[in-house]
Amino acid sequence: MVAPGILLVDKPGGMTSHDVVARARRALGTRKIGHAGTLDPMATGLLVLGVEAATRLLTFVVGLDKTYEATIRLGVATDTDDADGQVVSTTDAASLTSSAIVEGVDALTGRIAQVPSTFSAIKVEGRRAYDLARSGQDVQLKAREVTVSRFDVLARREVSDAEAGFVDLDVVVDCSSGTYIRSLARDLGAGLGVGGHLTALRRTRIGPFTVQDAHGLDTLASAPMVSPADAAVSVLGRFHVTADEARDLRHGKRLTGGAARLPTTPMAAVDPGGALVGIVERRGGDVKSAMNMPEEASA
């Protein structure tokens, strides 16, 4: 029987997130594995997997802020906003000044309205946008607010071919969940009047989890996992409960008057033995369980 936990994987390029989940299922001998946050096949980096009962924790991971390292090519636009798409326009970008790029980046930093890529996994009337786009349908996605708390240019490189000169920017982005880095590349290029797309993307962080602690596909069978308790505490913070309180929460009872002890909500309730009881929240002046962890899988 596989112990529950959070498995951090360094996804290679050329695979879908579902491909990685399938590999993990085979390596660990269980089908009860899910992931928190899809990575495009082109992208590499951190994929957070929940194994067995720890899949219940993924809902608290999906919405966490993320960090990406990326390369944006200015001067070339594609229909998918990344290197996997078809080129739709090229413009000589060699004359772009550093100050113009800084202004363009600044305009895409902070709370912004962003239209997701047409070739995204967003559902439109029950179908994925990329399926509709690939079938030739006109897909119109609505803008939504996202937060880009950091958008730093680390390096600039000049690239040229027989037609024009292009500019590659190595960038790092801290952003809220739901932000499309492909859309940042597209919008930066559009704002500068030359077009742009993403040529490389690597996710390095999801909330407290980093790619430095992730494991390659060849070591999944023996890779150590983050325990449910440690994972939940790192995301939500620890709410100490006594053995009696742990029993009551597991039985669906409220902790009367316990809300005063809950500085934020929700939090991870951990018993004296270090086991995760579940995720708790305020309910009036009381504390109640929003999600219980099976006792045999809570350590």
Side-chain angles (χ1 to χ4, degrees), residues 102-115:
V102 168
E103 289 180 8
V105 166
D106 286 347
L108 295 170
T109 304
R111 191 73 177 169
I112 63 172
Q114 182 184 78
V115 177

Side-chain angles (χ1 to χ4, degrees), residues 113-196:
Q114 182 184 78
V115 177
S117 172
T118 300
F119 287 81
S120 67
I122 292 175
K123 286 191 174 181
V124 179
E125 297 181 352
R127 294 185 62 189
R128 300 291 185 186
Y130 56 69
D131 286 332
L132 295 173
R134 287 167 184 157
S135 67
Q137 297 188 44
D138 182 28
V139 180
Q140 299 293 329
L141 298 177
K142 295 180 179 179
R144 55 186 182 179
E145 286 194 339
V146 297
T147 299
V148 178
S149 53
R150 177 171 60 146
F151 189 177
D152 290 342
V153 177
L154 304 180
R156 169 179 174 157
R157 294 186 301 281
E158 309 301 321
V159 181
S160 61
D161 62 14
E163 297 181 5
F166 310 126
V167 175
D168 279 1
L169 302 178
D170 294 332
V171 303
V172 60
V173 177
D174 291 338
C175 57
S176 61
S177 179
T179 304
Y180 281 85
I181 311 303
R182 282 184 290 160
S183 295
L184 284 181
R186 175 200 66 206
D187 293 344
L188 178 61
L192 293 169
V194 297

Side-chain angles (χ1 to χ4, degrees), residues 32 226 250:
K32 197 168 183 182
V226 183
R250 287 189 173 108

